[in-house]
Amino acid sequence: MTTRGVLYVHSAPRALCPHVEWAVAGVLGVRVSLDWTRQPAAPGTWRSEFSWKGQVGTASKLASALRGWQLLRFEVTSEPCPTAEGERYSCTPDLGIFHAVTGMHGDIMIPEDRLRAALVRSQQGETDLEAEIAKLLGKPWDDELEPFRYAGEGAPVRWLHQVV
């Protein structure tokens, strides 16, 4: 079964750009050439987005291929299909990687066991419930990536979190 998605490279140093293309090509099995534009939120870095089509699980392979690269900020999404829910991966140098399962309308779906664990940690005084839920929803990643999501002059804009 195939699905489709989008890779958003929010910021990458110029020297890393060809390596990103090679990593994506390695996952997809085809030559990839991304259109890079300057990232105004971090002078000296570049941004790009790439629509892809592949087997279910391609988003996780893309995220794995790119994770851990210093100074790289990215998001990978995949749409739900008849055999799998959608996915969203967000990655920043400071926070690492975030993964969420998404439903057919793009909503993050939090598994029951993760909610129960957050509630237990909160009840035991280990953490604040609101902060735990914010982490489960990826809020720290959204907060850090938001300035990078704004496109530069002439670049397309796609909002990942906007609900109409």
Side-chain angles (χ1 to χ4, degrees), residues 33-97:
S33 179
L34 301 177
D35 292 324
W36 296 96
T37 58
R38 293 187 185 277
Q39 172 53 272
T45 65
W46 297 79
R47 66 184 316 277
S48 185
E49 63 182 65
F50 179 75
S51 295
W52 56 268
K53 185 175 182 180
Q55 297 296 314
V56 170
T58 298
S60 65
K61 291 177 182 175
L62 288 168
S64 293
L66 298 175
R67 94 182 267 184
W69 289 4
Q70 221 27 15
L71 305 177
L72 182 65
R73 291 175 180 85
F74 69 89
E75 292 180 276
V76 182
T77 63
S78 72
E79 295 180 1
C81 66
T83 61
E85 300 290 350
E87 294 182 286
R88 175 181 155 211
Y89 293 86
S90 301
C91 188
T92 73
D94 293 335
L95 298 173
I97 201 154

Side-chain angles (χ1 to χ4, degrees), residues 45-163:
T45 65
W46 297 79
R47 66 184 316 277
S48 185
E49 63 182 65
F50 179 75
S51 295
W52 56 268
K53 185 175 182 180
Q55 297 296 314
V56 170
T58 298
S60 65
K61 291 177 182 175
L62 288 168
S64 293
L66 298 175
R67 94 182 267 184
W69 289 4
Q70 221 27 15
L71 305 177
L72 182 65
R73 291 175 180 85
F74 69 89
E75 292 180 276
V76 182
T77 63
S78 72
E79 295 180 1
C81 66
T83 61
E85 300 290 350
E87 294 182 286
R88 175 181 155 211
Y89 293 86
S90 301
C91 188
T92 73
D94 293 335
L95 298 173
I97 201 154
F98 167 77
H99 171 253
V101 174
T102 57
M104 62 187 278
H105 298 293
D107 297 322
I108 291 177
M109 298 171 31
I110 302 171
E112 180 181 337
D113 62 331
R114 293 184 73 193
L115 284 170
R116 289 183 193 279
L119 187 58
V120 167
R121 283 191 299 275
S122 172
Q123 289 170 340
Q124 293 175 345
E126 297 174 20
T127 187
D128 175 63
L129 183 59
E130 185 176 345
E132 283 292 305
I133 291 174
K135 284 195 313 192
L136 291 172
L137 291 171
K139 185 174 181 343
W141 287 265
D142 286 339
D143 290 347
E144 188 169 326
L145 290 172
E146 192 62 28
F148 295 91
R149 289 178 178 148
Y150 289 99
E153 184 177 323
V157 176
R158 293 187 189 179
W159 298 104
L160 298 178
H161 65 283
Q162 185 174 1
V163 178

Side-chain angles (χ1 to χ4, degrees), residues 1-21:
M1 183 62 58
T2 61
T3 187
R4 59 186 177 177
V6 180
L7 165 65
Y8 301 90
V9 179
H10 293 299
S11 71
R14 188 66 177 158
L16 195 55
C17 294
H19 298 280
V20 170
E21 292 178 1

